[in-house]
Amino acid sequence: MKAEELKKGLIVSCQATSEEPMRESSIIGRFALAAEMGGAVGVRINGISDILATKQIVKIPVIGLVKHTYPGYWSYITPTLRDVESVYVTGAEIIAVDACKLPKPEGKDVRQLLREIKKEFPDVLLLADVSTLEEGLAAIEEGSDMISTTLAGYTEYTRNYEDPRIIELQDPDVKLVRELAQRVKVPVIAEGRYWDDTLAIQAFEAGAHNVVIGAGITRPQIITKKIVDNIQAYL
């Protein structure tokens, strides 16, 4: 698959943490299938077992990643070469990697990591998750095939609030989408706090090639709480 083969449209992030009721690979795969049936052009999947379960039943491209924390390092989205390899062998069409400027495990900086990925896996379609324009441009220089605004608002230097629990209440960074779309020729994917079609359209108007919606579709407990909170505010 080539970057230009990714259709323009919605990508659904199908993920669940260990404490969530939907935390089972077969359920994640079914969420992905439902997304495909609904017209999504791709899905974003975390974890080897979830990727494998999804690959068995969907035909649309899978953006694969592993969230792996290393002591002393903030970066956690497929942050090492070995993590990339573990996703690569699943057959995921695209691999998402943390491309923010913060140090990576094994003492590497982001440019070194991206160069090593492209050298060891020259056929990989690499999606760089960034939080700033500068990080996106640097990732392109090192051979990334796509850029995503996944980390905008989450790195310590892009947060608008001290309390990290408030992050999800912020608006998505449409400005970053626009800046990237104006500067790069690769697909720009808008991700991070996009909850619905209204926000997604704003990103498309800013030049996004794709928009990722996750919790707004695949985390029913979060969707329910947002509705309940709105109802209680009315009552």
Side-chain angles (χ1 to χ4, degrees):
M1 179 180 176
K2 298 180 180 179
E4 56 268 24
E5 294 177 11
L6 178 62
K7 294 180 180 179
K8 189 171 185 177
L10 174 67
I11 293 172
V12 177
S13 180
C14 306
Q15 301 184 39
T17 58
S18 58
E19 70 276 7
E20 293 184 50
M22 301 303 174
R23 177 54 269 156
E24 185 177 318
S25 293
S26 62
I27 295 176
I28 298 300
R30 292 291 174 179
F31 267 131
L33 179 59
E36 181 179 45
M37 294 173 65
V41 301
V43 288
R44 182 172 167 122
I45 309 293
N46 167 46
I48 303 306
S49 61
D50 289 4
I51 296 171
L52 292 173
T54 299
K55 288 290 294 176
Q56 290 178 0
I57 57 176
V58 304
K59 297 179 180 178
I60 55 178
V62 172
I63 300 173
L65 62 133
V66 289
K67 291 182 176 178
H68 193 169
T69 57
Y70 290 84
Y73 294 93
W74 185 86
S75 297
Y76 62 95
I77 299 175
T78 330
T80 71
L81 202 60
R82 296 285 69 83
D83 290 325
V84 171
E85 182 179 26
S86 69
V87 177
Y88 179 81
V89 297
T90 67
E93 288 80 2
I94 304 166
I95 300 179
V97 173
D98 182 322
C100 74
K101 66 182 181 181
L102 296 173
K104 303 298 181 274
E106 303 171 343
K108 298 176 182 177
D109 64 28
V110 62
R111 286 182 177 271
Q112 182 181 3
L113 175 63
L114 295 176
R115 284 196 298 268
E116 290 184 1
I117 292 171
K118 296 303 287 187
K119 180 179 179 180
E120 186 156 340
F121 307 101
D123 59 331
V124 73
L125 202 55
L126 185 59
L127 171 61
D129 288 342
V130 303
S131 66
T132 67
L133 173 63
E134 292 71 23
E135 290 170 351
L137 297 177
I140 292 298
E141 290 179 3
E142 300 303 337
S144 296
D145 302 285
M146 303 174 179
I147 299 294
S148 178
T149 61
T150 310
L151 299 174
Y154 294 93
T155 53
E156 60 184 9
Y157 45 88
T158 60
R159 283 204 300 260
N160 293 328
Y161 300 91
E162 291 296 325
D163 187 345
R165 293 171 298 180
I166 302 178
I167 290 175
E168 292 296 344
L169 300 179
Q170 298 182 47
D171 291 330
D173 196 339
V174 178
K175 179 175 179 287
L176 178 57
V177 173
R178 182 176 295 105
E179 291 175 339
L180 285 166
Q182 291 173 347
R183 296 286 297 275
V184 305
K185 296 181 180 180
V186 303
V188 174
I189 299 176
E191 181 175 7
R193 304 179 302 281
Y194 289 91
W195 290 94
D196 54 31
D197 55 326
T198 299
L199 293 172
I201 289 171
Q202 291 178 20
F204 283 121
E205 289 176 340
H209 188 273
N210 299 92
V211 176
V212 176
I213 297 180
I217 295 175
T218 60
R219 282 179 158 157
Q221 76 279 7
I222 295 176
I223 299 168
T224 301
K225 186 177 187 306
K226 286 176 69 68
I227 294 172
V228 168
D229 288 348
N230 289 337
I231 291 173
Q232 289 178 338
Y234 172 76
L235 297 176

